[in-house]
Amino acid sequence: MFRVSPYVALIPVCLGVFVAADDQTVMVTVLPDIMFDFRIPPIELDYASWTITAYLLGYVAAMPLIGSMSDAFGHRRMFAIATVFFMLCSVVAALSPSLPFLIGIRVFQAVGAGAMLPIAIAVVGDLFPRGGRGLALGIVGGSAEAGGVIGPLWGGLVARFLDWPWVFWMNLPLGALVLIALFLLLGPSPRFKSSLDYVGGFFIAVALASLTLGLSRIDRLDLGMLGLLALTAVALAAFVYRQRTAAVTLLPNSMFRSRTVVMANVAHLMVGVSLIIGMVTIPIMTTYLVGHSPLEGGLRLMRMTVAMPFGAVLGGLACQRIDYRIPSVIGLILVAIGYAFMTTWDLSVADPQLTIHLALAGLGFGFLIAPIALGATEPVGHGDRGSAAAAVTSMRLVGMTLGLAAITAWGSQRFSLLVAGIPMPVPQEGEAIEVSRQRVAEFQETLTNIGMDVFVTFFAVAAVVAALGIIPAILMTWNRARSREVEDSEADNLEPEVPPRPRTV
């Protein structure tokens, strides 16, 4: 038996979070190979992209219930179960005989992956004392962001030297490494005597899944989309009713009575909206307007995403020294300033302005990870930390879904409105070829300028959303003495055979 630093004990948790986040973005670069193997024509790219959407669907839908389960069964145990489930689904994904099968198994694979981040946030509460969790939360959040950054690069390497199933096969040795280190370095987590609300978990899973599916079809405005949104409303109403009337609820009602927890979730929702606007707009603008390759679009986006892990660590360090509302506000200001600079872009934008503007936004997003996690989890009792972490993580994903739907619907409408009335450059009888070509070039330039106007407007919206997020961030205040009393009183609900404070062994 030997003791290790809690930061060392956090290593397997961070590695698991990194691998799970990597699998969320790795599909971007191997998708063409998958389409080729399954004989999916390029015109059906929207169908093939469900391999990515399906992962988001499973990622968000199961989080609330699994977060609650981790409080009841132990955070380390549930993290290990999630890792094993993720590995098994990776094997099935690698052996997929068809694209529909792969899409389906990606939903289940994401259930295991989606469990890891909120449980990791709860593990920080097990390992570190109150007031010393900021840096650890920043490291966990930075690991997740780093996985998302490396995912496309890793997929590109696999596509270059191996076949696409290897993005799934490689999860086996990585997962095994996580499990071995988990049980060697991390002691048993406390378990709390509580019942689980599977009915409430079902209702919120249906609500989140149908919302994600419905908003993914917002550009169609058909009966299918309306039906899914109606199902969302019904499931959400059922969940709220369950929360108000059931003796055992999925999310502790004390969470909703804490202004800090509510405001942290609102702030994270707005962060999700602002984040997805940049992640979608930057690559598309680079490829379709500037005329660079998709690789260049990814490299431009990496200027923002690479800065996020560094911001996460800095924000975590700040939280251990000052009120966590301050780094929250600083992060949102950096995001708003970064996007505000992007509204000045034109087709000729280049370094150093390009990198500075994107890195500012990325640093700001990173700064927000630890303080929002603290705001959402510190005020609740120790036995509810997994549930609270799952809820606030889900809110960012819901925000990303809402943001993506909004720019898809509004962007298409805005572009159509701007191009309305512009005459097509149809060759006229007796017109010289040079004149015809000149009119075509002018028409294409007009369309490009209109497209740039739309994308710049997206950046402005993202800046405004980030600025509005400052309001809930400032309101993330809570009674520290009272929250400490709540956490200490819950020691009585620990399972007797498990020590109240986990030991690293």
Side-chain angles (χ1 to χ4, degrees), residues 317-331:
L317 282 170
C319 288
Q320 294 188 183
R321 291 165 171 78
I322 57 178
D323 188 322
Y324 53 68
R325 289 174 296 176
I326 296 176
S328 298
V329 172
I330 291 174

Side-chain angles (χ1 to χ4, degrees), residues 414-436:
R414 172 73 173 166
F415 187 81
S416 299
L417 181 64
L418 291 174
V419 300
I422 298 178
M424 294 290 291
V426 179
Q428 303 295 323
E429 184 177 353
E431 185 179 56
I433 295 178
E434 291 77 11
V435 175
S436 179

Side-chain angles (χ1 to χ4, degrees), residues 23 87-96 109 154 158 162-175:
D23 253 54
M87 292 167 65
L88 292 175
C89 290
S90 295
V91 172
V92 179
L95 299 173
S96 295
Q109 185 194 28
W154 170 238
V158 170
L162 299 167
D163 294 325
W164 65 263
W166 279 96
V167 301
F168 300 114
W169 288 123
M170 288 302 296
N171 289 335
L172 298 184
L174 292 174

Side-chain angles (χ1 to χ4, degrees), residues 197 199-208 231-253 256:
D197 182 17
V199 175
F202 171 77
F203 285 144
I204 194 63
V206 171
L208 292 173
L231 178 60
T232 300
V234 171
L236 187 59
F239 173 73
V240 172
Y241 179 78
R242 177 77 180 178
Q243 282 285 135
R244 293 173 62 90
T245 60
V248 176
T249 58
L250 179 70
L251 301 177
N253 287 316
F256 304 101

